[in-house]
Amino acid sequence: MFSTKIMMPMVEVKEETRDITFKIFRYNPQIDAQPFFDDFNIPVEKGITVLRALNYIKENIEPRLSYRAFCQAGICGSCAMKINGVTKLACTTQVWDELENCAEENVLLIEPVSNLHVLKDMVVDMDMVVDKIEKYFGWVSTKMPENQFGKKEFNIPEEEFKLYDAATDCILCASCISECTMTKANKDYITPAVLLKTYRMESDSRDSISDKRMDTLVEKNGVWDCTHCYRCMEYCVKHIPIMDSIHHLREKAIETRGKTDTAGAKHADAFVKDIQSKGRLVESLLPIRTNGLMWTVRNMLPMAFKLTKKGKTPPPPFLMKPIPGIKSLRDLLADLKNRNQTTHNGKGGSK
Amino acid sequence: MKTFDIVVVGGGGAGLYAAMEAMKTNPKLNIAVISKIYPNRSHTSAAQGGVNAALANTAKDDTVESHIFDTIKGSDYLADQDAAEVLCRDAPGIIRELENIGTPFSRLDDGTIAQRPFGGAAQPRCCYCADKTGHTILQSLYEQCLRKGVNFYNEFYILELSHDNGRLKGIIALDIKTGKIVPFNSRSVIFATGGYAKMYWNRSSNAAGCTGDGQAVAYRAGIPLKDMEFVQFHPTGLRKSGLLVTEGARGEGGYLFNKDGERFMSKYAPNKMELGPRDLVSRSIETEIREGRGYDSHAGKYVHLDLRHLGADLIKTRLPQIRELSMYFEGVDPIEEPIPIVPTAHYSMGGIDADNDGRTIMKGVYAAGECACISVHGANRLGGNSLLEILVFGKRAGHAAAMEAQENDPSPITESELQRQHKYIRGFHHHDKHERYGIIREELGKNLADNVGIFRTKALLETGYENVVELKKRFKKVRVFDTGDIYNTNLIQVLELQNMLDLSQTVAMGALLREESRGSHTREDFPVRDDENWHKHSMFEYCDDDICVSSKAVTMGKYELQERKY
């Protein structure tokens, strides 16, 4: 437990300062049996970012405190961490602005990003992200033979550039990974950042390995595992419409791989058909239609028994009548289908 | 111990291009890239504006010749003309190559790469990707290196260039994640560690890690540095952080005010006002501050960049990034308050002396990018030429190293060399050490900004140089308080400070000796360019912790010396 009242050297005397406690996650696996929190009490003037406050603590109170920071200007993506429970870049977050979000008055909670292995304090292992970029071919494999490089440009309309303009804003800070509910449940999941990167490659006309990439994407842990919680997009520090990219990848997967090929595609198809015919989901048949009869018997039977015991079994299909007003719903769906010329062109998307 | 064919130190644009090109030249080679951060974080990503190449897409009559001339004139005639020619001739091919492998560029209506005008250029030849050109180039290069299966050693910090009386053996590095000292035996080494302008610390727009590690390591191994005194200042940096407020703010009509409320540029550039050339505006702001007309604060003296008269609408639509930056880093909304600014160290022209293929005097050792001084920027770099330099010379160094690596047969790095490093690092923990890293670093930055800054005089530079020597003495007493092995950032910061101290001595020395004003180097006591005595490169060699200074002729070509006028 540290507590000091040293004046920050960068403080301007005229400017107002506030006493703020930084409650910081600490863990050094070489020494600590388990993580703990350290409190540092410092005066902070207006205009100081969380990163500068951490720098002050490191230089003046606790030199062993570790975190990553490089450009300190919001472009390199090193300093993502959880500030009052929400993943942000420490270098672009004003301490005073954060005071509104404190659970305890004037106490800022600082923790490492979630869903990545902690190496020390706020430093997490980023190799998992790089491994996934490699697994999902997160690069353009150009159509052009290597011996032709540098001779002439591809001709690319500005409209194509707009398709991946927002996606190339990504700085791999891992905020979306930290906030992703699916990654929390399954560490092998592709993660939103890598989905975004594959989307960026898939929308590039210079690329030549879409087949290979799509084959990997539709497998387990891939594009169909996302649960649509939209948190990646909500917490993206660069405001990239990541969910739009995931939707685009799914549409492409269905288009290129056919509706009957993958569990994800069949699942999506079952949803559409149910809504079309009944206006609601026939849940009891969903596992069979998605994963087949054998899989359902093997994997879902114990759960079915439990549901029956608790009286929560979904109604059998023959009891599910179409909802009232099904006709207007169908008209609406038909209208939607006609208008479905989505472009997913990133900037200014549905956020 | 396995021997690498090539070890690239640094994972920015130059390093990644070198690795990619080396693998293309000879896929059988065993190549490693070591970087103290993850390569996609490198400072290349901060370059917003763009990259010059005479593609003649926007201006059909643009030529390579015109680009060469602009570069040489911009350098105040200190660039080697053969190097500038290589830079500009290779430019169109390398931009097309980048485009061919998937770099997203903004496009013209006809689908070709878009180009825009940039300072000091006769034609619009700056290729760009919105305002994130460096970021997207870095991403593309990193992705291509992953595709090609380059061996990355991320978060490894270089400690030493290992050699036996000038015969290269490889490098010794610290694995930041584990604290282990690791030898990399190698037939060749390419330094691509970026610039050293962060030695000005709070008066620098650079990333915290732009500490000149490669230059310092090469220098201590006996490889000469060149033209270290040339550091470019950008007029508008934020007061607290030194971060850049781009020229767009003044382009849209922003005013500069001193504390008396005077629009002081009327005294220095009555016609162009705030839109005068970079060096002139920097000098004007500095003059105001020095003559007591700046605002004062604990974060340093400053003047105001006022955008309020432009109105909320214009600021929100045309300058959203500048507004964001001011709010993030100064807590100031330019719609309501003026932005506190001060000129900031932005780019280092000097570096490791290297030829047009990156070769240094030590066989098997190459340098490329801001880390090298080839020299294409001479006394002053043009906007859009820095990204170009890292690409062109990264590629050339990678190719040369791949062709020449087999000629070298390095002897192994010995256990005693590793032990010596281990002992050196452990020494920082000793209880008789008492100096604090942060204080020395702060004093170094302030000393350089005050005494080796925009305006230089003999008296100031002498003080500046003596202060550096004094700080180097105090550094010997610096303590690393974190004694752990895992991710010891306290140790890394101290090692970086050592590099900045060694290099700052050459910067101050070079500035003191060069008795003329040329490009970024302004001597108030020698206000004119002196071609007769000083049209030459400064060379710095490490001699037992002292500096041996010499000079080297500038390679001329068809362009005769002229006065630099815009």
Side-chain angles (χ1 to χ4, degrees), chain B residues 17-28:
Chain B
Y17 218 121
M20 186 173 81
E21 184 65 19
M23 286 201 92
K24 184 176 150 192
T25 307
N26 184 353
K28 291 195 194 98

Side-chain angles (χ1 to χ4, degrees), chain B residues 15 47 64 83 106 147 338 365 381 392 416 431 507 550 559:
Chain B
V64 169
S106 297
R147 178 172 81 84
V365 179
R381 174 182 68 82
V392 166
S416 70
H431 57 78
V507 174
S550 57
Y559 301 102

Side-chain angles (χ1 to χ4, degrees), chain B residues 53-59 62 108 113-117 124-128:
Chain B
L55 291 172
N57 287 352
T58 296
D62 193 16
L108 294 173
I113 297 170
Q115 296 178 288
R116 61 183 166 204
R125 67 168 74 94
C126 188
C127 312
Y128 61 94

Side-chain angles (χ1 to χ4, degrees), chain A residues 11 59 68 94 165 169, chain B residues 132 143 155 298 328 441:
Chain A
V11 171
E59 278 166 30
R68 288 192 183 101
Q94 287 284 323
D165 185 8
D169 283 351
Chain B
K132 52 181 175 184
E143 288 152 14
E155 304 195 316
H298 275 238
Y328 285 163
R441 187 210 62 208

Side-chain angles (χ1 to χ4, degrees), chain B residues 218-461:
Chain B
Y219 172 62
R220 289 196 288 264
I223 298 174
L225 304 176
K226 188 164 74 183
D227 292 342
M228 295 295 284
E229 63 270 35
F230 295 102
V231 177
Q232 189 177 64
F233 281 77
H234 193 285
T236 52
L238 292 178
R239 160 193 56 164
K240 283 179 185 160
S241 52
L243 296 175
L244 216 59
V245 177
T246 58
E247 223 146 279
R250 281 170 294 134
E252 294 291 347
Y255 294 153
L256 290 168
F257 285 111
N258 61 20
K259 76 167 178 191
D260 304 328
E262 180 191 9
R263 229 181 120 191
F264 57 83
M265 282 310 293
S266 59
K267 290 184 290 191
Y268 307 94
N271 295 322
K272 292 213 141 195
M273 296 296 282
E274 281 82 0
L275 286 173
R278 264 187 204 182
D279 52 345
L280 176 66
V281 180
S282 291
R283 284 196 290 267
S284 309
I285 296 172
E286 195 72 6
T287 306
E288 290 298 306
I289 290 173
R290 279 174 30 170
E291 292 177 1
R293 292 189 294 277
Y295 293 87
D296 203 356
S297 77
H298 275 238
K301 296 180 173 142
Y302 61 93
V303 297
H304 275 155
L305 172 61
D306 199 342
L307 305 180
R308 288 174 298 180
H309 60 284
L310 301 176
D313 283 351
L314 190 140
I315 293 173
K316 279 183 190 160
T317 53
R318 307 268 274 279
L319 303 167
Q321 294 222 0
I322 288 168
R323 181 170 177 235
E324 216 171 54
L325 207 73
S326 311
M327 299 205 292
Y328 285 163
F329 300 108
E330 286 284 345
V332 162
D333 183 349
I335 292 176
E336 278 146 26
E337 289 173 79
I339 312 171
I341 58 107
V342 67
T344 182
H346 183 50
Y347 186 86
S348 49
M349 269 74 75
I352 301 172
D353 180 34
D355 75 8
N356 293 347
D357 291 308
R359 295 183 198 92
T360 67
I361 60 159
M362 192 184 288
K363 189 160 168 47
V365 179
Y366 304 78
E370 193 175 342
C371 161
C373 181
I374 298 267
S375 105
V376 290
H377 308 308
N380 179 49
R381 174 182 68 82
L382 286 192
N385 268 358
S386 56
L387 279 179
L388 179 61
E389 182 199 15
I390 64 175
L391 303 171
V392 166
F393 292 101
K395 178 173 173 153
R396 293 178 77 92
H399 183 76
M403 298 298 283
E404 294 158 10
Q406 299 303 328
E407 297 167 12
N408 306 326
D409 186 20
S411 52
I413 294 169
T414 60
E415 188 57 34
S416 70
E417 285 176 83
L418 303 182
Q419 282 305 323
R420 201 180 61 229
Q421 280 299 335
H422 190 74
K423 207 175 146 201
Y424 181 68
I425 285 171
R426 285 287 143 199
F428 284 113
H429 301 313
H430 200 276
H431 57 78
D432 71 349
K433 311 243 164 173
H434 53 82
E435 288 281 1
R436 298 177 79 99
Y437 147 80
I439 292 170
I440 295 188
R441 187 210 62 208
E442 215 60 40
E443 284 184 29
L444 174 67
K446 192 169 181 325
N447 171 49
L448 292 173
D450 291 348
N451 300 317
V452 197
I454 296 171
F455 286 112
R456 301 169 170 187
T457 63
K458 186 163 191 276
L460 283 176
L461 290 166

Side-chain angles (χ1 to χ4, degrees), chain A residues 106-119:
Chain A
N106 290 342
V107 178
L108 249 71
L109 183 65
I110 308 285
E111 298 163 287
V113 298
S114 296
N115 300 333
L116 292 170
H117 174 67
V118 175
L119 297 174

